[in-house]
Amino acid sequence: QQQVRQSPQSLTVWEGETAILNCSYEDSTFDYFPWYWQFPRESPALLIAIRPVSNKKEDGRFTIFFNKREKKLSLHITDSQPGDSATYFCAARASSGSWQLIFGSGTQLTVMP
Amino acid sequence: EAAVTQSPRNKVAVTGGKVTLSCNQTNNHNNMYWYRQDTGHGLRLIHYSYGAGSTEKGDIPDGYKASRPSQENFSLILELATPSQTSVYFCASGERRAANTEVFFGKGTRLTVV
């Protein structure tokens, strides 16, 4: 049972286009949603995060759009660059217990020059 | 910058053998985690710890044990390694805060069980 789902599994865009990565979740009590990115042969690292009190979080070319009612969020990468090519993980935090992060299966983004 | 160090970085083990993966963090974080990463599954939580002496089961604990002898160290133990445990293992540390939970990952251990 996957509590955090991501789509598409892989995505290819051209340099300069907007990449849209989707994420949905099951548990309405999740209270924090970070996105991590991972470059080949590297470890995941925090990119950007949002809490449900907001429906949008922006950091440069990266924007999270959050829809609490539909339990969906998306990461938009505008003016995509080849250096953005990586695997992107959506995660959600359980609101009780260890506050552990539950990760989706990832979207592999390739930006073609 | 957060520092999480894993050893070994690569390991080949035989089926039925015992494997110990080690993790050390210098961030003084209370929480530590072990994840495995497999294609199509993302990062799945095996065990985690709130602090020295504590270990908790994550989502896929079967076949794994964990040990947290100190704030800095967190080990993952495969008592009887199987080929299905071939994977990349990531250790992470993080602090439990109300506003957010950022975890910092080590560079990973690539384990092959033959």
Side-chain angles (χ1 to χ4, degrees):
Chain A
Q1 176 192 354
Q2 264 191 314
Q3 296 191 63
V4 178
R5 289 190 171 86
Q6 289 186 248
S7 65
Q9 190 172 354
S10 63
L11 176 65
T12 299
V13 299
W14 293 102
E15 183 174 356
E17 291 185 334
T18 296
I20 300 175
L21 290 65
N22 300 304
C23 180
S24 63
Y25 60 97
E26 306 265 332
D27 191 335
S28 58
T29 66
F30 288 156
D31 66 352
Y32 172 68
F33 299 88
W35 286 82
Y36 280 73
W37 56 352
Q38 183 181 28
F39 297 98
R41 294 172 297 282
E42 296 289 325
S43 51
L46 179 65
L47 172 63
I48 187 173
I50 193 168
R51 299 194 72 199
V53 293
S54 304
N55 55 21
K56 181 180 176 181
K57 178 71 177 292
E58 204 167 344
D59 184 356
R61 296 183 295 107
F62 300 89
T63 302
I64 300 174
F65 292 93
F66 184 78
N67 186 322
K68 187 175 182 179
R69 183 178 60 83
E70 294 187 10
K71 291 190 276 189
K72 292 181 178 179
L73 56 160
S74 59
L75 176 68
H76 292 226
I77 307 172
T78 57
D79 188 24
S80 297
Q81 302 297 309
D84 298 332
S85 297
T87 300
Y88 291 77
F89 293 100
C90 173
R93 184 178 78 171
S95 59
S96 62
S98 71
W99 290 352
Q100 62 176 273
L101 292 179
I102 299 164
F103 287 84
S105 57
T107 293
Q108 186 171 349
L109 174 66
T110 302
V111 182
M112 302 294 290
Chain B
E1 170 103 7
V4 180
T5 305
Q6 294 183 230
S7 63
R9 295 293 314 281
N10 292 281
K11 173 77 177 177
V12 178
V14 295
T15 298
K18 182 177 181 178
V19 177
T20 299
L21 306 183
S22 299
C23 179
N24 176 275
Q25 56 109 351
T26 58
N27 312 312
N28 200 31
H29 286 159
N30 288 320
N31 287 10
M32 294 187 74
Y33 308 85
W34 276 106
Y35 291 90
R36 64 177 283 177
Q37 183 175 28
D38 305 285
T39 302
H41 290 281
L43 294 154
R44 292 182 291 174
L45 184 64
I46 307 170
H47 284 288
Y48 60 96
S49 169
Y50 293 119
S54 101
T55 61
E56 305 289 338
K57 293 181 179 179
D59 297 324
I60 52 164
D62 293 346
Y64 303 94
K65 290 184 179 179
S67 173
R68 182 88 181 268
S70 65
Q71 179 81 342
E72 297 79 20
N73 296 295
F74 190 37
S75 298
L76 185 68
I77 303 145
L78 291 67
E79 294 277 5
L80 294 169
T82 68
S84 64
Q85 295 175 312
T86 293
S87 186
V88 179
Y89 292 85
F90 285 99
C91 176
S93 75
E95 205 51 81
R96 199 178 162 187
R97 290 189 294 265
N100 60 50
T101 295
E102 182 175 359
V103 296
F104 298 88
F105 288 87
K107 292 188 179 297
T109 294
R110 185 172 297 275
L111 173 66
T112 303
V113 183
V114 298

